[in-house]
């Protein structure tokens, strides 16, 4: 169930040249799982902007977003004290009801943020959490140190080799011989497909998709699965590896 509310900006600052971190104060009771998202109303824009939840507690909500168009550019110009109209508690998040002791979290670019809250929860359950983060180049890296501060074992892959393993997240998994029994992943579709093609373990995939309504009404963000079409904003964004038809 989703809920509409007004949230006050506490912080809004850049992590890289294009990636920003925004902390909001407001009601978070409708957020029930890591991997859910919010839909933000912006003046002058007809459609809300869907942004994944990076972290949350009883009183605050943290969003990490990339400036890719007019809407997110508008968000980057907002300052502390301003207010935003949000729909919260949207989407089907990651399930932790899995018999896994050594989960691997795999994030590519702006797919990294929703894995942060998941890492916190898995660590709190005593799991050994390993994280692989993929970026194009060193200047785009963010949140690697934040995952390390939580207590995760972190690996970084860059396409140009400027930091960590040269190549993609699948390259890092293979070259570093990372041991894991299950995975959670979020990132662009080519990354998710490559991951499924290259690892034997089961896992959950969080899909990035353009969304019209954000709550399943417009049917504009469907994905083919073995059980019929599923809406990324409603039945997703998290789906199981074994159900996806690529």
């Amino acid at each position: 169930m989703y809920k509409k509310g007004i949230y006050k900006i506490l912080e809004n600052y850049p992590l890289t040249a294009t990636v920003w971190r925004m902390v909001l104060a407001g009601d978070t009771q409708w957020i029930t799982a890591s991997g859910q998202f919010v839909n933000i109303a912006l003046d002058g824009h007809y459609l809300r902007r869907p942004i994944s939840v990076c972290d949350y507690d009883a009183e605050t909500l943290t969003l990490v977003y990339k400036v890719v168009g007019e809407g997110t550019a508008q968000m980057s110009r907002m300052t502390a004290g301003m207010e935003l109209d949000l729909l919260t508690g949207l989407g089907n998040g990651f399930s932790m009801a899995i018999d896994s002791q050594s989960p691997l979290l795999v994030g590519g670019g702006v797919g990294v943020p929703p894995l942060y809250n998941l890492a916190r929860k898995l660590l709190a359950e005593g799991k050994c959490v390993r994280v692989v983060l993929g970026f194009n180049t060193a200047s785009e890296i963010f949140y690697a140190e934040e995952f390390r501060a939580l207590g995760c074992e972190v690996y970084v892959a860059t396409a140009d080799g400027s930091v960590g393993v040269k190549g993609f997240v699948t390259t890092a998994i293979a070259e570093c011989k990372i041991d894991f029994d299950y995975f959670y992943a979020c990132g662009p579709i080519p990354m998710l497909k490559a991951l499924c093609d290259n690892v034997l373990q089961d896992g959950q995939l969080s899909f990035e998709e353009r969304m019209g309504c954000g709550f399943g009404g417009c049917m504009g963000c469907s994905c083919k699965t073995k059980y019929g079409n599923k809406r990324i904003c409603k039945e997703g964004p998290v789906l199981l590896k074994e159900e996806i038809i690529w």
Side-chain angles (χ1 to χ4, degrees):
M1 181 177 181
Y2 65 90
K3 186 72 173 180
K4 184 176 181 292
I6 302 300
Y7 294 74
K8 180 177 288 186
I9 299 175
L10 301 179
E11 300 176 348
N12 190 33
Y13 59 88
L15 298 174
T16 72
T18 58
V19 176
W20 286 65
R21 181 179 187 267
M22 178 182 285
V23 181
L24 302 165
D27 186 2
T28 63
Q29 67 175 304
W30 304 100
I31 304 170
T32 58
S34 306
Q36 288 184 298
F37 66 96
V38 300
N39 232 359
I40 305 174
L42 296 169
D43 291 342
H45 298 276
Y46 177 70
L47 295 178
R48 290 175 178 262
R49 264 49 184 181
I51 306 291
S52 61
V53 174
C54 176
D55 201 13
Y56 67 97
D57 57 28
E59 299 177 347
T60 65
L61 173 66
T62 300
L63 308 176
V64 174
Y65 62 96
K66 186 175 183 179
V67 177
V68 294
E70 293 181 4
T72 44
Q74 182 176 329
M75 287 175 58
S76 72
R77 294 190 293 270
M78 295 178 174
T79 56
M82 297 178 71
E83 294 183 337
L84 283 171
D85 179 321
L86 267 64
L87 297 181
T88 65
L90 294 167
N92 175 49
F94 292 109
S95 171
M96 295 175 56
I98 304 297
D99 184 17
S100 165
Q101 293 304 310
S102 302
L104 176 67
L105 278 54
V106 185
V110 288
V112 170
L115 299 175
Y116 182 78
N117 181 263
L118 177 63
R120 280 207 306 114
K121 291 180 177 179
L122 290 170
L123 288 165
E125 290 190 349
K127 306 293 178 67
C128 177
V129 180
R130 297 176 172 89
V131 179
V132 177
L133 307 177
F135 303 93
N136 289 317
T137 189
S139 63
E140 297 181 5
I141 296 172
F142 66 93
Y143 258 58
E145 292 308 315
E146 282 81 354
F147 278 102
R148 290 190 178 101
L150 285 180
C152 300
E153 187 176 313
V154 179
Y155 303 82
V156 174
T158 51
D160 65 0
S162 52
V163 173
V165 175
K166 181 176 182 179
F168 305 108
V169 292
T170 48
T171 314
I173 293 170
E175 290 190 2
C176 299
K177 296 180 172 60
I178 300 174
D179 182 34
F180 64 100
D181 56 11
Y182 194 81
F183 74 83
Y184 298 88
C186 183
I189 288 179
M191 185 203 87
L192 299 179
K193 184 177 186 304
L195 186 62
C196 291
D197 288 343
N198 284 276
V199 303
L200 299 177
Q201 292 87 337
D202 290 333
Q204 298 173 34
L205 313 172
S206 180
F207 286 82
E208 300 172 354
E209 185 59 83
R210 294 184 65 87
M211 300 176 186
C213 66
F215 46 81
C218 70
M219 300 297 292
C221 60
S222 61
C223 172
K224 290 183 179 181
T225 78
K226 295 177 182 178
Y227 312 108
N229 288 345
K230 289 190 175 183
R231 297 161 292 183
I232 296 301
C233 70
K234 184 70 173 179
E235 289 80 31
V238 178
L239 299 172
L240 299 177
K241 170 190 173 182
E242 58 265 30
E243 69 179 309
I244 304 301
I245 297 176
W246 297 103

